[in-house]
Amino acid sequence: MIVTLKPGAEVSRVLGELAARGLWVSALERAPGEPALLLVAPHSAQVDPRELGGIEGVLGVAAPKPQHPRVTAQRARVTVAGVPIGGGAEPVWMCGPCSVESEQHARELAEQLRPLGVLFLRGGAFKPRTSPYAFQGHGEPALGWLRRAADATGMRVVTEALGEEHVAPVAEHADMVQVGSRNMQSFALLKAVGRAGKPVLLKRGMAATVEEWLLAGEYLLQHGAPVVVFCERGIRSFDASTRNLIDLGAVALLSHVYHQPVIVDPSHAAGRRDLVAPLARAAIAAGAAGLMVETHADPAHALSDGPQALPLAELARLVGEIKRGQPDGGVS
Amino acid sequence: MIVTLKPGAEVSRVLGELAARGLWVSALERAPGEPALLLVAPHSAQVDPRELGGIEGVLGVAAPKPQHPRVTAQRARVTVAGVPIGGGAEPVWMCGPCSVESEQHARELAEQLRPLGVLFLRGGAFKPRTSPYAFQGHGEPALGWLRRAADATGMRVVTEALGEEHVAPVAEHADMVQVGSRNMQSFALLKAVGRAGKPVLLKRGMAATVEEWLLAGEYLLQHGAPVVVFCERGIRSFDASTRNLIDLGAVALLSHVYHQPVIVDPSHAAGRRDLVAPLARAAIAAGAAGLMVETHADPAHALSDGPQALPLAELARLVGEIKRGQPDGGVS
Amino acid sequence: MIVTLKPGAEVSRVLGELAARGLWVSALERAPGEPALLLVAPHSAQVDPRELGGIEGVLGVAAPKPQHPRVTAQRARVTVAGVPIGGGAEPVWMCGPCSVESEQHARELAEQLRPLGVLFLRGGAFKPRTSPYAFQGHGEPALGWLRRAADATGMRVVTEALGEEHVAPVAEHADMVQVGSRNMQSFALLKAVGRAGKPVLLKRGMAATVEEWLLAGEYLLQHGAPVVVFCERGIRSFDASTRNLIDLGAVALLSHVYHQPVIVDPSHAAGRRDLVAPLARAAIAAGAAGLMVETHADPAHALSDGPQALPLAELARLVGEIKRGQPDGGVS
Amino acid sequence: MIVTLKPGAEVSRVLGELAARGLWVSALERAPGEPALLLVAPHSAQVDPRELGGIEGVLGVAAPKPQHPRVTAQRARVTVAGVPIGGGAEPVWMCGPCSVESEQHARELAEQLRPLGVLFLRGGAFKPRTSPYAFQGHGEPALGWLRRAADATGMRVVTEALGEEHVAPVAEHADMVQVGSRNMQSFALLKAVGRAGKPVLLKRGMAATVEEWLLAGEYLLQHGAPVVVFCERGIRSFDASTRNLIDLGAVALLSHVYHQPVIVDPSHAAGRRDLVAPLARAAIAAGAAGLMVETHADPAHALSDGPQALPLAELARLVGEIKRGQPDGGVS
């Protein structure tokens, strides 16, 4: 944003007025006689350009063109398969295993999750794995397992479409199509997922800016998605003591400034089971509309990512803490 | 950590037992006949090596040598000038301006902060500024202003020693000596500050790992500091939409795994005044023992960092929210 | 890698022997009587584990399992459409516009590039754009324009397949299929591109480790690609003064340690036209087998990325410099 | 930089003219009737604002105020203790051990280095170590060892002042005072080093932007340093396969755009001895005025950082390669 001053304006006074509104500003050099220009930095608080126009000494305000009108139009609370997400609704839970392992496995887990208040069953049918030799998921059959487990228990299904060829089967079985962080800017996939006309869960890329994330959401909405829910899952870290680096500043920004429905996946963010609960609580406090938590009845036998899966008893405790708004008994 | 297996141990069963404890493990190739070795990744949950020794099939466990015994010995709750910090104590508040501007300015602010429950008066006498042409702080006189303002209102003083020559005057006037993020690994300064024998507030460097941060704390304790309180203030970000990137995973790690007193500075982390409140709430939820918040009665006239300073009314509201454990009325 | 010592081995002497081979080692604590274990850090120089086995006092060496055998088997020099790349071959040039703009545009450019010694014509038919409202490329027709321009001038075509649906037409028209950095871990696309059976140019993801990059190459080779050429194009940077951050350490690693054919795209890495030439020279010095340079006869009228495109006269000068192994006349 | 257009200017034509000069531009929204404003991105090529003023349709150009006039005034070639650095001078070599180990050690090494053409003897007397329990250097005595070794062989001494208390003894013994990367923004130290009046070698901080680095140099020059030579040593990396991430884009920027003397330390950048030679060659190609290379006659017995030290024979080969401008025989 650029603020143009009137000739003779008292620059220091205008600078103070802008600082008072949370704006970081730098003055630019101009030829004598030309109106002074003030450049507002991107990490400033959000203000309405029209408000600035009213400050004494301000001639005009130039702002960047809106980049993602469809995302902007989708404010705060959305509804996915009858479940309200964001905008003050009760936090939504999306739980389940990294990989779906069998029909029985999905069914038993759903029966244990639903009574806790978990409304979305998540689980991988197609798995994005760094190595081609790692388990790639059970594929299409696992979609049916998820669907039937959810139907039997009154849950919804969210699962990932890894490529364009998976979009149709995933959209057929799931209530919400997930786009993974490695595909956040796979634009052909975004278009295909958008065209499927289903609500989308869009994970943030590992080094994506908030602006790029919102623009990826814009791709989805432009191509037909009725709703996009954003999901922070940690960005690339230089510190090996956590698997990824959870960016709750981005969550607060999406929630409080852009008024978007955003949930957090603390399991992938930390990679450490011993940090899932405090980071889940922090995510809700930062403005998250819900949580995606990897859960497994028996992490010792999970087909993938067992070390970060939360056993059911710990999940039950965490759900209770979030409901009451505080940790379970003293400092955890 | 490395787990050595007994000859004939059932490897997949041991891997499951380790996953069940939250450990990420990779198997290494060995010559036939040699005992299998399993390498535990650093982002695993923390477990006691002795517990692993009890798993069937495990021959032995080798762990890295403890790197920071003095930090480890300082667990959870510490006391600074009579104020308990961490370990379940009520969140501590450290508030005040980026730069101390005059004796009267310090005094008036202290009188407004103390009734809110703010126990520490913070403020810069010596300012670390990126440009040599920016305001460098009022220096030694400002130390006296802070001290007298605190004494008059029953507050404590925390302020930064920017170099070795400042350590003596700062230690004379302050209850707690701050080491800034740009100096987190200025080892000569760490030694000098340690020798002053005062409690220290150690801000995290902009690209420091948690391990490096703990080791910087070890320098302080080894050279005489009685107490180190850690302070997260955001790390370097690739996203211009916030000033820095707040790392609440590191806060959770220090609080819940290393049991250290750690506070958070959401002002510097976000740089955006509109995100200070949600990030402050998230910090407490993640395990922070307190908050350092830049505050100014009149941000329009602050000598530095006005755009990120919280006006007093907003601070008062935030203190109330943290006390009650929830946002003030609906979605903020 | 883990080195196990014999009982009674002189640890400091073994540590010295390992340091002499460029290995960073940390000693682990063990119970009395158990053989000492030394853990070798990943940023150590590469050595053959068998060589370490010969050091006095060493009992055994455990190394991670090979993760990408097909990449390892593809060493150094490969051939793409008759052109040798890597392994001491003359640097290969891949040049052309960000977006192909018309049949005539492609043809004229090819006629100007070929005499300079440029063997690969590059150009975007399908463009990955951050915003859905930005120009998305001319699509399939542009593939024919590239093919005919190359055929008329004796060049080869390399162009990107943005999604699975584009793989067949791209593979039909191009000699080499490009996978873009935003798709480096789009595993469904990698499989589809591999199955097309064409040589692949694999750009590195914006926050991908070298290991993840090699594993993405393994996906391609496992699914049928005859050859993978790696391409560094800069990673995500915290410094706005360049568009991305060129990682020539990764290039040196791929070239000198993994013996892979790797080229560099200095245009995207810097984003600044005034840095393309020195970074191109540096890339070759670091071990790059070739250069991909965005070129435009008239950057003022380029449909995308004009500011980073090199005008033809500057490209001609750069090709000459690389051929002679030094800058053109004095300090450039 | 902001470009203001004349009323009625043909915007697309001006955008093309700016793209042709390597400028990335975004148009801002304005009220009807107000002159259009174009915002130039920081990663654009450097151009003289006056040149833009001459483009048809441009009303005026506003540029940020110069931030580091003293650095700007120090262009390209400087002289340190009689040795020209930068501006087309022959590459300067600064070699020696991580830690100076004894008077004899320094003397013998100097006698071996000088005949290779190495003019600066480097070596640590005071060592910045991450752990307080690691070897901290031999301190002041080592300064005398370095001085006498250099005097006996006709070399210059460059060594680090770790804190303000070391500035006087280091300035007394050394020809050039080094400021380490962990102290790049230790402003009290910068002022003290500047006041010593000696040429300074300023290493870049691990997450410092180019602008912050130049401003740190401005601190030194403002406080009395006659000359600042910049040194890139790698920034913080997310990839464990190298110790740090060498940023040769920053080197090209300093050399070719800011016309500053900049050298590169490939030893710390890579941490891997097997990458030192290719990265040294790449640094020179990118515009570096010299190289700082950790060298040890017997890396097996180095007191610190042995794994990254280059044995003398390899250094001799590298010096020869740089002199001839190409690798020694075939592919290295």
Side-chain angles (χ1 to χ4, degrees):
Chain A
M1 212 154 58
I2 294 167
V3 177
T4 311
L5 300 194
K6 290 181 182 156
E10 200 183 328
V11 178
S12 66
R13 231 189 51 79
V14 178
L15 289 173
E17 290 285 339
L18 298 175
R21 285 162 178 81
L23 303 187
W24 297 88
V25 176
S26 54
L28 296 174
E29 291 214 317
R30 303 224 61 187
E34 289 184 34
L37 293 180
L38 305 177
L39 180 60
V40 178
H43 61 279
S44 299
Q46 198 173 55
V47 298
D48 188 327
R50 286 166 301 186
E51 184 192 334
L52 303 185
I55 296 174
E56 192 190 322
V58 168
L59 179 66
V61 179
K65 288 186 184 123
Q67 296 294 303
H68 28 69
R70 288 180 172 84
V71 169
T72 303
Q74 164 194 280
R75 283 178 72 88
R77 185 186 296 211
V78 298
T79 300
V80 175
V83 179
I85 301 180
E90 210 182 321
V92 66
W93 291 85
M94 303 184 178
C95 303
C98 179
S99 301
V100 185
E101 295 168 12
S102 70
E103 173 137 24
Q104 195 189 343
H105 171 239
R107 178 65 176 270
E108 287 176 6
L109 198 58
E111 285 169 353
Q112 293 166 307
L113 290 171
R114 186 62 191 82
L116 300 178
V118 177
L119 294 184
F120 282 81
L121 182 62
R122 58 143 285 162
F126 307 99
K127 295 301 308 168
R129 304 301 299 274
T130 305
S131 164
Y133 307 114
F135 174 59
Q136 308 272 314
H138 281 296
E140 281 204 46
L143 295 174
W145 305 340
L146 281 170
R147 183 71 268 164
R148 289 190 290 275
D151 286 345
T153 53
M155 295 179 79
R156 284 77 178 168
V157 170
V158 53
T159 192
E160 180 170 355
L162 206 57
E164 294 146 69
E165 60 181 324
H166 305 139
V167 174
V170 168
E172 185 194 330
H173 290 88
D175 299 287
M176 192 175 206
V177 180
Q178 179 175 317
V179 173
S181 58
R182 290 170 186 77
N183 283 326
M184 192 202 87
Q185 291 194 311
S186 296
F187 301 113
L189 178 63
L190 293 179
K191 292 177 183 178
V193 169
R195 283 192 300 265
K198 285 272 182 172
V200 183
L201 185 75
L202 178 63
K203 290 201 150 187
R204 181 183 180 191
M206 268 185 275
T209 63
V210 165
E211 190 66 16
E212 290 167 340
W213 196 10
L214 294 168
L215 283 166
E218 188 77 7
Y219 262 100
L220 290 164
L221 294 173
Q222 191 206 13
H223 286 271
V227 157
V228 174
V229 174
F230 297 87
C231 179
E232 161 72 19
R233 46 75 76 199
I235 56 171
R236 183 60 91 186
S237 172
F238 57 86
D239 188 345
S241 60
T242 50
R243 193 178 185 193
N244 292 292
L245 196 157
I246 193 170
D247 181 4
L248 293 184
V251 172
L253 196 58
L254 255 75
S255 170
H256 294 278
V257 173
Y258 291 106
H259 304 290
Q260 294 299 314
V262 54
I263 70 167
V264 170
D265 172 351
S267 309
H268 278 90
R272 298 177 65 126
R273 196 189 298 156
D274 51 6
L275 298 185
V276 168
L279 292 179
R281 295 192 297 262
I284 296 295
L291 293 161
M292 174 170 263
V293 178
E294 286 200 354
T295 330
H296 203 286
D298 178 11
H301 294 96
L303 290 183
S304 54
D305 282 4
Q308 76 190 17
L310 217 58
L312 278 163
E314 290 185 37
L315 176 69
R317 193 164 73 131
L318 177 59
V319 172
E321 287 174 357
I322 297 287
K323 212 166 262 172
R324 287 191 317 280
Q326 51 187 39
D328 202 9
V331 178
S332 79
Chain B
M1 211 154 56
I2 295 168
V3 176
T4 311
L5 300 194
K6 290 181 182 156
E10 201 183 328
V11 178
S12 67
R13 231 188 51 79
V14 178
L15 288 172
E17 289 286 339
L18 297 175
R21 284 162 179 81
L23 303 188
W24 297 88
V25 176
S26 54
L28 296 173
E29 291 215 318
R30 304 223 62 188
E34 290 184 35
L37 293 180
L38 304 177
L39 181 60
V40 178
H43 61 279
S44 299
Q46 197 173 55
V47 298
D48 188 328
R50 286 166 301 185
E51 184 191 334
L52 303 185
I55 296 174
E56 192 189 321
V58 169
L59 179 65
V61 179
K65 289 185 184 124
Q67 296 293 304
H68 29 69
R70 287 179 172 85
V71 169
T72 303
Q74 164 194 280
R75 282 177 73 88
R77 186 187 294 212
V78 297
T79 300
V80 175
V83 180
I85 300 180
E90 209 180 321
V92 67
W93 291 85
M94 304 183 179
C95 302
C98 179
S99 301
V100 184
E101 294 167 13
S102 71
E103 174 137 23
Q104 196 191 340
H105 171 241
R107 178 66 175 270
E108 287 176 6
L109 199 56
E111 285 168 354
Q112 293 166 307
L113 290 171
R114 186 63 191 82
L116 301 178
V118 177
L119 294 185
F120 283 81
L121 182 62
R122 59 144 284 162
F126 307 99
K127 296 300 309 167
R129 302 302 298 276
T130 305
S131 164
Y133 307 115
F135 175 58
Q136 309 273 314
H138 281 296
E140 282 204 43
L143 296 174
W145 306 340
L146 281 169
R147 181 72 267 162
R148 290 190 291 275
D151 286 345
T153 52
M155 295 180 77
R156 284 79 177 166
V157 170
V158 54
T159 193
E160 179 169 355
L162 206 56
E164 294 146 69
E165 60 180 326
H166 305 140
V167 173
V170 167
E172 186 196 328
H173 290 90
D175 300 288
M176 192 174 206
V177 181
Q178 179 174 317
V179 174
S181 59
R182 288 169 187 78
N183 284 325
M184 193 202 86
Q185 291 194 311
S186 296
F187 301 112
L189 179 62
L190 294 179
K191 291 177 183 179
V193 169
R195 284 192 300 264
K198 286 271 182 172
V200 183
L201 185 75
L202 178 63
K203 290 201 150 188
R204 181 183 180 190
M206 267 185 274
T209 63
V210 165
E211 190 66 16
E212 290 166 340
W213 196 10
L214 294 168
L215 283 166
E218 187 77 8
Y219 262 99
L220 290 164
L221 294 173
Q222 191 206 14
H223 286 271
V227 157
V228 175
V229 174
F230 296 87
C231 179
E232 162 71 19
R233 45 76 75 201
I235 56 171
R236 183 61 90 186
S237 172
F238 58 87
D239 188 346
S241 60
T242 51
R243 194 178 185 192
N244 293 292
L245 197 157
I246 193 169
D247 181 4
L248 294 184
V251 172
L253 196 57
L254 255 75
S255 172
H256 295 278
V257 173
Y258 291 106
H259 305 290
Q260 294 298 314
V262 56
I263 71 167
V264 169
D265 172 351
S267 309
H268 278 91
R272 300 178 64 127
R273 196 188 299 155
D274 52 5
L275 298 186
V276 168
L279 293 180
R281 294 192 297 263
I284 296 296
L291 294 160
M292 173 170 264
V293 178
E294 285 200 354
T295 330
H296 202 285
D298 179 10
H301 294 95
L303 289 182
S304 54
D305 282 5
Q308 76 191 17
L310 217 57
L312 279 163
E314 290 185 37
L315 177 69
R317 192 164 73 131
L318 177 60
V319 172
E321 287 174 358
I322 298 285
K323 213 166 261 171
R324 288 193 315 280
Q326 51 185 41
D328 201 9
V331 177
S332 81
Chain C
M1 211 155 56
I2 295 168
V3 176
T4 311
L5 301 194
K6 290 182 181 155
E10 200 184 329
V11 177
S12 67
R13 231 189 50 81
V14 177
L15 288 172
E17 290 285 341
L18 298 175
R21 286 164 178 80
L23 304 187
W24 297 89
V25 176
S26 54
L28 296 173
E29 290 214 318
R30 304 225 59 189
E34 290 184 34
L37 293 180
L38 305 177
L39 180 60
V40 178
H43 59 281
S44 299
Q46 197 173 56
V47 297
D48 187 328
R50 285 166 301 186
E51 183 191 334
L52 303 184
I55 296 174
E56 192 189 322
V58 169
L59 179 65
V61 179
K65 289 185 185 125
Q67 296 294 304
H68 28 69
R70 287 180 171 86
V71 169
T72 304
Q74 164 195 280
R75 283 178 72 87
R77 185 187 293 212
V78 298
T79 300
V80 175
V83 179
I85 300 180
E90 210 181 321
V92 66
W93 291 85
M94 303 184 179
C95 301
C98 179
S99 301
V100 184
E101 294 167 13
S102 70
E103 173 136 25
Q104 195 190 343
H105 171 241
R107 178 66 175 271
E108 286 175 7
L109 199 58
E111 285 169 354
Q112 293 166 307
L113 290 171
R114 186 62 191 82
L116 300 178
V118 177
L119 294 185
F120 282 82
L121 182 62
R122 59 143 283 163
F126 306 100
K127 294 302 307 169
R129 302 302 297 275
T130 304
S131 164
Y133 306 114
F135 175 59
Q136 308 273 315
H138 281 297
E140 281 205 44
L143 295 174
W145 305 340
L146 281 169
R147 181 74 268 163
R148 290 189 291 274
D151 286 345
T153 53
M155 294 179 79
R156 284 78 176 167
V157 170
V158 54
T159 192
E160 180 170 353
L162 206 56
E164 293 147 69
E165 60 181 325
H166 305 139
V167 173
V170 168
E172 185 194 330
H173 290 88
D175 300 287
M176 191 175 206
V177 180
Q178 179 174 316
V179 174
S181 58
R182 289 168 188 78
N183 284 325
M184 193 202 87
Q185 290 194 311
S186 297
F187 301 113
L189 179 62
L190 294 179
K191 292 177 183 179
V193 169
R195 284 193 299 264
K198 286 272 182 171
V200 183
L201 185 76
L202 178 63
K203 289 202 151 186
R204 181 182 179 191
M206 268 184 273
T209 62
V210 164
E211 190 66 17
E212 290 167 341
W213 195 12
L214 294 169
L215 283 165
E218 188 77 8
Y219 262 100
L220 291 163
L221 294 173
Q222 191 207 13
H223 286 270
V227 157
V228 175
V229 173
F230 296 87
C231 179
E232 161 72 19
R233 46 77 75 201
I235 57 171
R236 182 61 90 185
S237 171
F238 57 88
D239 188 347
S241 60
T242 51
R243 193 178 185 192
N244 292 291
L245 196 157
I246 193 170
D247 181 5
L248 294 184
V251 172
L253 197 57
L254 255 76
S255 171
H256 294 279
V257 174
Y258 291 105
H259 303 290
Q260 294 299 313
V262 54
I263 72 167
V264 170
D265 171 351
S267 309
H268 278 91
R272 298 178 65 125
R273 195 188 299 155
D274 50 6
L275 298 185
V276 168
L279 292 180
R281 295 192 297 263
I284 296 295
L291 293 161
M292 172 170 265
V293 178
E294 286 200 354
T295 330
H296 202 286
D298 179 10
H301 293 96
L303 289 183
S304 55
D305 282 4
Q308 75 190 18
L310 217 58
L312 278 163
E314 290 185 37
L315 177 69
R317 193 165 72 132
L318 177 59
V319 172
E321 287 174 358
I322 297 286
K323 213 167 258 170
R324 289 191 316 280
Q326 52 186 38
D328 201 10
V331 178
S332 82
Chain D
M1 213 156 54
I2 295 168
V3 177
T4 311
L5 301 194
K6 290 180 181 157
E10 200 183 328
V11 178
S12 67
R13 230 190 50 80
V14 178
L15 288 173
E17 289 286 339
L18 298 175
R21 285 162 179 81
L23 303 187
W24 296 89
V25 176
S26 54
L28 296 173
E29 290 215 318
R30 305 225 59 191
E34 289 183 36
L37 293 179
L38 305 177
L39 180 60
V40 178
H43 61 279
S44 298
Q46 197 172 56
V47 298
D48 188 327
R50 285 166 302 187
E51 184 191 334
L52 303 185
I55 296 174
E56 192 189 322
V58 169
L59 179 65
V61 179
K65 290 189 182 117
Q67 296 294 304
H68 28 69
R70 287 180 172 84
V71 169
T72 303
Q74 163 194 281
R75 283 178 71 89
R77 185 187 295 211
V78 297
T79 300
V80 175
V83 179
I85 301 180
E90 210 180 321
V92 67
W93 291 84
M94 303 183 179
C95 303
C98 179
S99 301
V100 184
E101 294 167 12
S102 70
E103 174 136 24
Q104 195 190 341
H105 171 240
R107 177 66 174 271
E108 287 176 6
L109 198 58
E111 286 169 353
Q112 293 166 307
L113 290 170
R114 186 64 190 83
L116 300 178
V118 177
L119 294 185
F120 283 81
L121 182 63
R122 57 144 285 163
F126 307 99
K127 294 302 307 168
R129 303 302 296 275
T130 304
S131 165
Y133 306 114
F135 175 59
Q136 308 273 314
H138 281 296
E140 281 204 45
L143 295 174
W145 305 340
L146 281 169
R147 182 73 268 162
R148 290 190 290 277
D151 286 346
T153 54
M155 295 179 78
R156 285 77 178 169
V157 169
V158 53
T159 191
E160 180 170 354
L162 206 56
E164 293 146 68
E165 60 181 326
H166 305 139
V167 173
V170 167
E172 186 195 329
H173 290 90
D175 300 287
M176 192 175 206
V177 180
Q178 179 174 317
V179 173
S181 59
R182 289 168 186 77
N183 284 325
M184 192 202 88
Q185 290 195 312
S186 297
F187 301 111
L189 178 63
L190 294 179
K191 292 176 183 179
V193 170
R195 284 192 298 265
K198 285 274 182 170
V200 184
L201 186 76
L202 178 63
K203 290 201 152 188
R204 181 183 180 190
M206 267 185 275
T209 63
V210 164
E211 191 66 16
E212 290 167 340
W213 195 12
L214 293 169
L215 283 165
E218 188 76 8
Y219 263 99
L220 290 163
L221 295 173
Q222 191 205 14
H223 286 270
V227 157
V228 175
V229 174
F230 297 87
C231 179
E232 161 72 19
R233 46 76 75 199
I235 57 171
R236 184 61 89 185
S237 172
F238 57 87
D239 188 345
S241 60
T242 52
R243 194 178 184 192
N244 292 291
L245 196 156
I246 194 170
D247 181 5
L248 293 184
V251 171
L253 196 57
L254 256 75
S255 171
H256 294 279
V257 173
Y258 291 106
H259 304 291
Q260 295 299 313
V262 55
I263 70 166
V264 170
D265 172 351
S267 308
H268 278 91
R272 299 178 63 127
R273 195 188 299 155
D274 51 5
L275 298 185
V276 169
L279 292 179
R281 295 192 297 263
I284 295 295
L291 294 160
M292 173 170 264
V293 178
E294 285 200 354
T295 332
H296 203 285
D298 179 10
H301 293 96
L303 288 184
S304 54
D305 281 6
Q308 76 190 17
L310 217 57
L312 279 162
E314 291 185 36
L315 177 69
R317 193 164 72 132
L318 177 60
V319 172
E321 287 173 358
I322 298 286
K323 212 166 260 170
R324 288 191 316 280
Q326 52 186 37
D328 202 9
V331 178
S332 82

